[in-house]
Amino acid sequence: QKEVEQNSGPLSVPEGAIASLNCTYSDRGSQSFFWYRQYSGKSPELIMSIYSNGDKEDGRFTAQLNKASQYVSLLIRDSQPSDSATYLCAVTRNTPLVFGKGTRLSVIA
Amino acid sequence: DTGVSQDPRHKITKRGQNVTFRCDPISEHNRLYWYRQTLGQGPEFLTYFQNEAQLEKSRLLSDRFSAERPKGSFSTLEIQRTEQGDSAMYLCASSLQQYTEAFFGQGTRLTVV
């Protein structure tokens, strides 16, 4: 059974701080890793993809991948109240995406 | 690029009725996925297509559920004899290739009363 684990939160951070979201996965053969943001009542929105070990930066977002530890993380710098949402980690090998349950982030103004 | 489009956005139906949802993927995407999401959970995979071929179905997809993608473009998901447990957000996503980024539509929220 392929699993993706995330802390459900809520994770509360003050405005301007760095939010750190973590994800572990069970399938060692996983090849592609994604972070989605989902606002309440809306559908998931892709914000980051990462395919190789290391860091990938896009604006205020940094995705980090460590395949040996089967660990993916998302850092959000200068957190804003508009970043308050549920963040979903998704992983794939050669099958459709497997999602974690998501971490709820609350950025406090 | 109009994105992934789903119709209807909301559906309320009585238990026992049949419902059908439609998904129009991003035009050049050959992979199309259906997921279901309930409150507090991540999206759960139901089925997916590569062009018109249905390649995989989840064990979640009981025989009351059927999906088609007749010409490799839009797809439909039908639920027969709906049950209250079918109440959820039904999400469609598409991607260009295997392993690549998948983009979601707005979803169809189904309520079975």
Side-chain angles (χ1 to χ4, degrees):
Chain A
Q1 180 73 13
K2 300 169 187 173
E3 292 183 347
V4 177
E5 299 288 340
Q6 295 181 255
N7 188 321
S8 61
L11 172 66
S12 294
V13 299
E15 184 175 359
I18 296 175
S20 178
L21 304 161
N22 304 316
C23 169
T24 59
Y25 59 93
S26 63
D27 185 357
R28 185 169 288 279
S30 298
Q31 296 174 293
S32 304
F33 307 85
F34 305 93
W35 284 98
Y36 287 81
R37 178 176 62 199
Q38 187 172 30
Y39 293 112
S40 180
K42 303 295 185 183
S43 63
E45 173 193 10
L46 179 68
I47 53 172
M48 288 289 287
S49 59
I50 188 166
Y51 302 96
S52 55
N53 281 330
D55 294 0
K56 179 181 178 183
E57 186 174 321
D58 183 0
R60 295 188 295 112
F61 298 100
T62 299
Q64 299 174 316
L65 174 61
N66 184 326
K67 289 186 178 180
S69 300
Q70 296 176 239
Y71 178 90
V72 193
S73 65
L74 179 70
L75 301 178
I76 306 175
R77 289 182 300 281
D78 188 24
S79 295
Q80 301 298 308
S82 59
D83 294 325
S84 297
T86 296
Y87 289 81
L88 298 163
C89 174
V91 172
T92 184
R93 185 177 187 172
N94 56 3
T95 55
L97 295 175
V98 178
F99 284 85
K101 293 184 178 182
T103 297
R104 189 156 53 95
L105 173 66
S106 178
V107 180
I108 311 299
Chain B
D1 179 9
T2 58
V4 179
S5 178
Q6 292 188 244
D7 183 70
R9 298 287 303 276
H10 303 273
K11 178 72 176 178
I12 300 174
T13 190
K14 292 183 178 179
R15 185 164 54 90
Q17 297 296 303
N18 300 343
V19 294
T20 300
F21 309 142
R22 177 180 170 123
C23 172
D24 288 88
I26 294 170
S27 58
E28 64 268 25
H29 286 186
N30 57 35
R31 290 206 162 203
L32 185 149
Y33 311 86
W34 285 100
Y35 285 83
R36 179 171 67 187
Q37 187 177 26
T38 53
L39 195 63
Q41 303 295 314
E44 296 175 303
F45 167 72
L46 294 178
T47 188
Y48 87 100
F49 294 84
Q50 179 164 313
N51 300 313
E52 65 276 9
Q54 188 173 16
L55 296 188
E56 187 175 340
K57 292 192 291 186
S58 164
R59 284 170 294 177
L60 289 176
L61 210 66
S62 77
D63 57 6
R64 297 185 298 107
F65 288 69
S66 62
E68 294 183 337
R69 195 183 182 195
K71 296 183 180 179
S73 57
F74 74 91
S75 175
T76 58
L77 177 69
E78 180 183 18
I79 309 174
Q80 295 182 328
R81 305 180 305 279
T82 52
E83 302 172 355
Q84 286 190 320
D86 297 330
S87 295
M89 173 82 88
Y90 288 83
L91 296 163
C92 176
S94 70
S95 68
L96 187 58
Q97 302 173 35
Q98 195 175 18
Y99 313 129
T100 60
E101 300 154 337
F103 298 91
F104 282 88
Q106 315 96 311
T108 295
R109 182 169 296 284
L110 172 67
T111 302
V112 181
V113 298

